[in-house]
Amino acid sequence: MSVTDLNDVQKATSRTCENEGCRLLPQAFMLLGFVSLIFAAIPDLDLVVSRFFWEPAAGFEFTKNSFLIAFRDANRFLPWAIIGTAMVLLIPNPLLRHLKSPPAPHKLLFVVTFFAAGPGLGVQLIKMLVKRARPRGLEEFGGSAFFTPPWEITDQCVRNCSFISGEAASAFGLLTLVVFIKPKYSTVYLVAVGTVAAAFSLNRVVFGAHFLSDAVIAWSLMFALAALLWGAFSRNAPQIDAIFTSKSA
């Protein structure tokens, strides 16, 4: 397939994807506002959920569960595996021409950019700004810090703070791989992988490492970011793909 042919195909595809991104973005912001409002109106909801996994004598006992620890470690490994694979596939390589269906460069770049901007830079900036203490650091759970609601800027944490959950954000990132899935299988993929990603996220709540709002709001923010980025990358798909295709020709 020549660059010209590829551009013709991608022009039609990008128009559809652009419309999809525009449709999802308002929904994502509405969801973010809704969940933020819920946790602002009922801040004790975080404490109620965290107390469910805490015992006065043992603390957050699930932190000693070997299966849950391995499950957590898998969530930490997967983003690096995805980023590494995407970067390798983006490197100009004549061998890629022999693949039956090589992944589109704009999709690979979208995934890499999402992980860098969301679970990477974005999460760390919010953590440094809000400085919310983790559940296991609160007075209620044997620590010394005070509870604060999500989005409230405080001084209860110095580094590696609770809000928002980076691992919940990276778990959501698994859903962005749906851009590589055929449309007829996309719903199945989102349900199956979304279930695993939700379990990754809630595992952090079970450990006392994050509040429920840390995970839920992280997902809402990442949904908005993914919709925003996908709209931009799909709109410029022909130009992006042409650049990488010409380099590997």
Side-chain angles (χ1 to χ4, degrees):
M1 178 180 287
S2 67
V3 173
T4 302
D5 293 334
L6 178 63
N7 285 348
D8 291 337
V9 173
Q10 292 297 343
K11 283 177 182 177
T13 304
S14 66
R15 283 193 292 269
T16 302
C17 295
E18 180 183 358
N19 292 335
E20 182 181 4
C22 291
R23 177 178 59 83
L24 290 177
L25 191 57
Q27 297 176 12
F29 279 114
M30 287 176 62
L31 177 62
L32 174 60
F34 175 73
V35 297
S36 296
L37 182 61
I38 290 295
F39 285 105
I42 317 174
D44 283 350
L45 180 59
D46 274 331
L47 292 174
V48 170
V49 174
S50 292
R51 285 193 191 105
F52 185 78
F53 303 106
W54 181 77
E55 293 291 339
F60 289 98
E61 195 170 9
F62 283 106
T63 57
K64 303 172 186 177
N65 186 294
S66 58
F67 172 78
L68 293 181
I69 292 173
F71 193 61
R72 176 203 62 190
D73 292 342
N75 185 35
R76 292 178 173 178
F77 167 77
L78 282 174
W80 293 108
I82 292 169
I83 293 170
T85 301
M87 292 299 293
V88 168
L89 292 174
L90 278 170
I91 296 174
N93 186 345
L95 294 177
L96 294 177
R97 291 181 301 177
H98 300 290
L99 294 178
K100 184 178 180 180
S101 300
H106 76 278
K107 295 181 179 181
L108 294 169
L109 203 57
F110 158 69
V111 171
V112 171
T113 303
F114 170 83
F115 276 101
L121 180 62
V123 166
Q124 295 308 314
L125 289 176
I126 294 174
K127 284 179 181 287
M128 289 188 294
L129 175 65
V130 177
K131 297 182 178 180
R132 187 188 200 188
R134 294 178 182 269
R136 59 194 178 202
L138 299 185
E139 286 185 335
E140 287 90 337
F141 305 118
S144 58
F146 295 103
F147 171 79
T148 55
W151 292 118
E152 180 176 311
I153 297 177
T154 182
D155 60 355
Q156 295 301 301
C157 174
V158 177
R159 59 181 297 275
N160 196 23
C161 303
S162 188
F163 185 81
I164 54 178
S165 170
E167 288 174 74
S170 61
F172 177 90
L174 300 177
L175 299 179
T176 63
L177 300 181
V178 72
V179 298
F180 300 105
I181 305 300
K182 292 182 179 180
K184 63 180 180 179
Y185 301 123
S186 62
T187 300
V188 174
Y189 176 86
L190 290 174
V191 171
V193 176
T195 300
V196 175
F200 279 142
S201 303
L202 293 177
N203 193 36
R204 305 301 291 148
V205 179
V206 170
F207 275 24
H210 285 288
F211 294 106
L212 179 63
S213 61
D214 295 336
V216 174
I217 293 178
W219 271 54
S220 303
L221 274 170
M222 294 306 107
F223 180 26
L225 176 64
L228 181 64
L229 289 176
W230 181 239
F233 277 90
S234 60
R235 183 168 59 250
N236 295 286
Q239 294 87 347
I240 296 171
D241 290 350
I243 290 171
F244 284 90
T245 302
S246 61
K247 286 183 178 180
S248 61

